[in-house]
Amino acid sequence: MEAELTALAASGATTLVGLMVSESWERTKGALGRFFGRRAAGEDAEEELQASSAELGSAQAAGDVSTQANLQARWQQRLEEIFREDPGAAQELAGLLSELAPDASHTFVSLVSGGVNYGPAFQGSHIHGGITFNIQPAPSGPGPHALPDQVPVTMVPFSNRTAELAVLDQTLGTQGGGLGPVRVGILDGLPGVGKTTMAWRWAERARSRFPDGQLYVDFAALRTQSAPQAGAGADVSEALAMCLRSLPGSDSIPSSLAERTNLFRSRSAGLRILLVLDDVNQPAHVRALIPKGPGSAVLVTGRGRLGELALDGARLISVKPLDAHGGLALLKDRCGQEAVTAEPQAAQRLVELCGGLPVALQVVAARLITDTSLSMTELAAELGDEAGRLAGMALDGEESSVSAVLGPSYRLLPASAARLYRLLGWLPVGVFDAGVAAVAADLDTPRAKRLLGVLTKASLVEVWGDGRYRMHDLVRLHARERAVDEEQESEQEALIGRVGTHYLALTAFADRALRQERLRIADLSAVLRDADDPFSAPGGPPPLEWLDTERGAVLAVLRMAARHGLHTLVWQLAEAFTVLFLHRRYLGTWKESLELGAEAAAASADTAAEARLRSLLSRPLLDLGENDRAATELDQAVVLAEASGHLVLRASVQEFLGRYRDLFEPSRAVEAYQRSLELNERAGEARGAAIAAFFLGCAQDAQGDHTQALATLRRALQDLESREEPDRRMAARVRAAIGVARDHLGQSEEAIGDLREAARALREVGATHYEAQALVQLADIAQRTAGREDLVRECLTRAVEIYEAAGSRTAERLRQRLDGLGR
């Protein structure tokens, strides 16, 4: 059968490519050359294999994942042809490989010999696929759990695909009302063939089969948000976090991929859900996201070859281009029955010219609808006369283009809409709102909305939801090409400046909404003076949620502005953007944004800005374990801050230095915190002084100076609680530290009271991580005090709940401690 043949070829190609860069290659290439040579028409097979080995080695050294994937795809296609023509070839190749390279060929040999388990093996599968995972801690959103219903709805009539939908019903639907195993279906086909729309349509039809809801992950959007060093594929860690936030019981999200994967399996075990994974390009994307609840299903749309998932029990469903009947039905849906009936031969010709690809047919229909003077016969003649059009509409694997169709549609646009289209091609992101479009084209927002409506009707832009718009990647490429050809050379940099300033203003407003009183080097008064603050308006967006949603766009703007040398814009935006990461630690994005900002500040010769950004950069570097580099950044920041003469900045840098020394030079941490406190006091910075005093008190306590630590911490608490804008979270942390210091001084009862109050306050402000720390400290003291077993049990039980929700291993240690009480 075709599916089995494809699976054999995929496994064989994987084995072959692996051998090409292994120590076994020299002893296997001769025999493999003879195997392929007997099936080649006069070609030197061994020479071809050696050339592929050299190409693969160069691609791996350069980190060129695309070339590696294309090479493997070529050999898979060769093996498919061989296995199809010679049914005994697979057995011959398996025997050859099992003799020459038994370890490397185990999977392929087992598949050929029938030793493969085709059952649902996903739950224990190893996650692999050449992806560098970017682990980014992400807390869950507030509020009560709502049934997830995330799969977008189809906005246009859905034509044909009856057979494919029936296969999906059979593959993913439950039989006879029973639950059954978790099932996985993969929609496979050319880009633009309609896989995503089909997945959305089937999800609508199957809503009643999944009573616990439907989850949706768009990997194309995640790839846009990921830092370049995240490697091939999207951020699977963030995909898991998104799903966990949508499931009941996930109050906190763990930081590691393994813990997130395990927590997702646990949270989904009692649920029957549908998970739609859109635009997947690596098998590992799927393996990490298989739910555990009986009767659940995963529907995947993918680019690239995901055939190896068939070895795990997935069903590959091939989505072919529409046949003549299906293509005509689509034209009838869009243009009307009468139009197709009036010009049947021209309609058939259009379907042929579009190769049956829905994405091309949609654009053809849009031209006919928006230009009532254009007939199908005229359009078919136009497309047929241009040799490049067939190549443009004939999508080939990963390389696809409909520019041949987009060109005429673009030429039909009014001049103002065509200009907006071109400028949108220069946006660094594909999803945007009308405000961003207006800024890009230097228009007012109502005008931009009207022009976006023109582009939407022409199928060049689609309405995405939440008042936003989306430009397909290929359409955006075409728009960018037109901009390069038709716009002045200086316009792109001007556009990036306008869009960057737009995001700078919004990010700065969000920063100030989250905490008004914070050290900021950038003077943005001129930028913010005439701008509207959406976060202060009634019903405005929550600032933290806006920053989280737009973090991919902000990072993309930072990258592009840096490439165009807009140094001041880059460092100012990076400084304002960092407020997001003080609440949600997306470490990779935080690190990259601060690196861009620090480099831009250095290029601007702004000493204070560079000192600020390098000191901030030490935070994600420490969290990522890049300790030596964190020390280097701090050393530079200290020198730069001293040169700047900025007292508050110097105090802040000393505080960051103290936090580094807490970990690696504890005997010198007190010195840094004392310096920070002194500088804050000289600058009249009361809150900064209070925070410096908190860290100083903790460092004094750690060094054994408990009496002085208690005095320092009491002062910090008083200063934080007496402020006009009390900092309840920091005050509660200080109170917990006071409790620990009192315990060290033998004041156990007072310590218990302080820690109880601190834990209560931390719970009220949602700081569960610090609440758990305070509870464990309280349990430690109570356990040393007679008659406090109930308090110990109460504290540890709550701490276990917090750590279990976060997927932390600390939960198991504390549970063992709980079980041992009373023995």
Side-chain angles (χ1 to χ4, degrees):
M1 291 185 291
E2 194 67 22
E4 285 77 2
L5 186 148
T6 300
L8 279 173
S11 180
T14 299
T15 303
L16 178 61
V17 169
L19 284 170
M20 287 180 180
V21 290
S22 72
E23 296 179 356
S24 305
W25 181 240
E26 289 302 318
R27 70 170 182 267
T28 58
K29 68 179 181 180
L32 287 169
R34 289 189 291 275
F35 171 83
F36 285 104
R38 290 195 298 273
R39 295 165 173 84
E43 298 178 10
D44 189 335
E46 185 172 345
E47 182 177 329
E48 182 182 8
L49 285 165
Q50 188 60 36
S52 291
S53 175
E55 181 182 3
L56 181 62
S58 298
Q60 286 190 342
D64 185 351
V65 179
S66 177
T67 296
Q68 297 175 54
N70 289 337
L71 189 146
Q72 182 164 333
R74 291 202 305 269
W75 284 104
Q76 178 174 336
Q77 183 176 0
R78 177 77 65 83
L79 286 173
E80 285 184 23
E81 294 170 355
I82 291 173
F83 295 165
R84 188 177 290 110
E85 294 173 1
D86 180 2
Q91 189 70 43
E92 178 185 342
L93 181 60
L96 184 154
L97 291 173
S98 64
E99 179 179 347
L100 295 175
D103 294 335
S105 62
H106 175 75
T107 300
F108 175 69
V109 172
S110 297
L111 181 58
V112 173
S113 63
V116 176
N117 176 11
Y118 287 93
F122 287 100
Q123 298 300 335
S125 294
H126 176 60
I127 298 172
H128 63 88
I131 297 177
T132 301
F133 294 100
N134 182 21
I135 306 302
Q136 300 177 343
S140 61
H145 173 73
L147 191 69
D149 188 14
Q150 300 173 351
V151 180
V153 297
T154 52
M155 302 295 290
V156 296
F158 188 80
S159 303
N160 305 289
R161 305 301 193 190
T162 304
E164 291 93 337
L165 290 171
V167 173
L168 283 172
D169 286 338
Q170 180 182 18
T171 301
L172 302 182
T174 55
Q175 303 295 321
L179 295 180
V182 176
R183 303 183 182 199
V184 180
I186 301 171
L187 298 178
D188 183 50
L190 294 173
V193 82
K195 303 183 293 292
T196 293
T197 302
M198 185 186 301
W200 294 1
R201 175 58 176 160
W202 189 82
E204 283 183 83
R205 287 166 39 119
R207 187 183 303 274
S208 62
R209 303 187 188 194
F210 304 99
D212 297 309
Q214 300 183 350
L215 301 175
Y216 179 75
V217 178
D218 181 359
F219 276 90
L222 290 183
R223 283 191 291 273
T224 299
Q225 295 175 6
S226 296
Q229 60 264 36
D235 192 340
V236 177
S237 170
E238 177 60 12
L240 281 162
M242 290 168 58
C243 293
L244 285 168
R245 284 194 285 267
S246 301
L247 294 178
S250 296
D251 295 322
S252 184
I253 309 300
S255 61
S256 75
L257 174 66
E259 288 173 323
R260 287 183 180 184
T261 303
N262 289 333
L263 184 59
F264 176 69
R265 290 170 182 160
S266 298
R267 293 292 183 238
S268 62
L271 305 175
R272 195 193 327 169
I273 58 176
L274 171 67
L275 180 57
V276 176
L277 305 180
D278 203 2
D279 209 1
V280 172
N281 66 3
Q282 294 288 345
H285 295 167
V286 180
R287 289 194 173 101
L289 285 158
I290 303 297
K292 199 171 183 180
S296 293
V298 180
L299 179 54
V300 182
T301 76
R303 59 169 66 190
R305 295 179 179 269
L306 302 175
E308 74 179 65
L309 290 171
L311 303 179
D312 296 324
R315 172 76 180 271
L316 264 67
I317 301 160
S318 181
V319 183
K320 301 293 186 183
L322 296 170
D323 58 17
H325 174 77
L328 287 173
L330 190 152
L331 285 179
K332 291 175 184 177
D333 282 339
R334 305 300 187 272
C335 302
Q337 174 72 46
E338 293 182 0
V340 174
T341 302
E343 300 179 86
Q345 292 182 341
Q348 291 177 1
R349 178 61 174 156
L350 287 173
V351 173
E352 292 174 7
L353 290 170
C354 291
L357 290 172
V359 66
L361 285 165
Q362 294 280 11
V363 177
V364 164
R367 289 194 59 194
L368 293 167
I369 293 169
T370 56
D371 185 1
T372 56
S373 66
L374 179 66
S375 68
M376 289 190 179
T377 301
E378 291 170 336
L379 180 55
E382 177 186 336
L383 294 177
D385 284 343
E386 297 186 13
R389 294 193 182 281
L390 288 177
M393 292 185 293
L395 304 169
D396 181 17
E398 295 294 337
E399 298 292 331
S400 62
S401 173
V402 293
S403 59
V405 183
L406 292 172
S409 298
Y410 163 71
R411 291 196 295 271
L412 285 174
L413 293 172
S416 55
R419 176 177 178 272
L420 175 61
Y421 174 77
R422 293 192 299 271
L423 296 180
L424 291 177
W426 271 333
L427 284 180
V429 291
V431 179
F432 50 88
D433 60 24
V436 172
V439 171
D442 202 13
L443 301 170
D444 59 67
T445 302
R447 174 78 170 149
K449 284 184 176 180
R450 289 194 293 271
L451 294 178
L452 285 168
V454 175
L455 298 180
T456 301
K457 289 179 181 178
S459 296
L460 298 173
V461 168
E462 60 181 316
V463 179
W464 190 242
D466 296 331
R468 296 194 294 171
Y469 300 84
R470 180 178 183 268
M471 217 177 196
H472 188 280
D473 287 345
L474 296 175
V475 178
R476 187 153 55 102
L477 176 61
H478 176 263
R480 187 177 303 163
E481 290 173 347
R482 300 273 42 83
V484 170
D485 287 346
E486 300 179 38
E487 295 292 331
Q488 294 182 3
E489 187 175 348
S490 61
E491 181 57 34
Q492 183 178 13
E493 183 173 321
L495 178 146
I496 296 302
R498 291 194 299 270
V499 172
T501 302
H502 173 77
Y503 274 103
L504 173 60
L506 290 174
T507 303
F509 279 132
D511 175 24
R512 285 153 176 76
L514 288 168
R515 173 146 301 271
Q516 188 66 235
E517 192 177 14
R518 191 167 73 83
L519 171 61
R520 299 177 180 91
I521 301 302
D523 179 5
L524 300 180
S525 56
V527 173
L528 304 181
R529 184 181 300 117
D530 299 323
D532 294 327
D533 181 359
F535 307 106
S536 64
L544 188 58
E545 297 309 314
W546 181 86
L547 285 166
D548 203 342
T549 300
E550 294 291 337
R551 72 180 186 277
V554 175
L555 182 59
V557 168
L558 281 167
R559 292 170 182 164
M560 184 164 284
R563 286 197 295 271
H564 283 269
L566 302 178
H567 303 308
T568 299
L569 171 61
V570 170
W571 77 253
Q572 290 179 344
L573 181 54
E575 183 189 32
F577 192 31
T578 205
V579 71
L580 168 65
F581 310 109
L582 300 179
H583 293 80
R584 299 183 179 176
R585 288 178 175 258
Y586 303 112
L587 295 176
T589 304
W590 191 10
K591 172 188 170 185
E592 184 186 355
S593 67
L594 289 171
E595 287 173 335
L596 291 170
E599 290 167 6
S604 299
D606 193 313
T607 304
E610 185 180 356
R612 174 64 169 160
L613 290 159
R614 292 197 185 281
S615 63
L616 286 168
L617 179 57
S618 69
R619 294 282 298 278
L621 290 175
L622 285 173
D623 287 347
L624 289 167
E626 299 182 38
N627 304 324
D628 290 343
R629 188 175 164 204
T632 300
E633 296 294 338
L634 284 168
D635 288 343
Q636 292 184 61
V638 169
V639 174
L640 291 164
E642 292 298 321
S644 74
H646 192 305
L647 283 178
V648 179
L649 173 62
R650 291 165 61 193
S652 175
V653 171
Q654 287 295 322
E655 179 193 312
F656 283 115
L657 180 61
R659 292 161 105 172
Y660 172 85
R661 288 177 176 175
D662 277 337
L663 299 173
F664 304 106
E665 299 178 89
S667 62
R668 300 184 62 202
V670 169
E671 173 190 342
Y673 290 133
Q674 286 175 333
R675 181 65 173 153
S676 177
L677 176 59
E678 173 195 340
L679 290 167
N680 272 304
E681 289 175 337
R682 285 173 56 190
E685 190 66 25
R687 179 175 178 271
I691 293 175
F694 162 60
F695 287 115
L696 173 59
C698 292
Q700 289 170 335
D701 194 43
Q703 291 298 302
D705 193 353
H706 309 307
T707 300
Q708 183 59 52
L710 186 58
T712 304
L713 291 168
R714 281 173 170 165
R715 169 192 165 180
L717 179 62
Q718 180 180 354
D719 290 345
L720 288 167
E721 289 183 335
S722 62
R723 297 187 55 73
E724 184 176 346
E725 184 186 0
D727 193 332
R728 297 174 58 206
R729 177 173 169 274
M730 282 302 303
R733 291 181 63 189
V734 175
R735 188 174 291 280
I738 287 174
V740 173
R742 279 182 157 175
D743 178 56
H744 291 153
L745 290 168
Q747 302 170 12
S748 300
E749 290 301 319
E750 293 84 350
I752 288 173
D754 284 323
L755 284 163
R756 270 183 159 170
E757 173 61 21
R760 181 195 62 77
L762 289 165
R763 185 170 188 174
E764 287 180 355
V765 298
T768 55
H769 173 73
Y770 294 115
E771 178 197 353
Q773 286 184 351
L775 288 169
V776 173
Q777 291 165 338
L778 177 55
D780 291 343
I781 298 171
Q783 197 162 12
R784 298 196 304 267
T785 308
R788 298 279 191 174
E789 185 172 312
D790 289 344
L791 177 59
V792 175
R793 191 178 302 279
E794 174 190 338
C795 293
L796 293 180
T797 299
R798 170 61 182 161
V800 166
E801 291 175 2
I802 294 172
Y803 285 122
E804 279 187 341
S808 171
R809 294 188 181 92
T810 304
E812 180 58 29
R813 178 174 58 80
L814 294 179
R815 185 170 291 284
Q816 292 175 359
R817 183 174 167 185
L818 260 175
D819 293 342
L821 290 178
R823 291 182 182 175

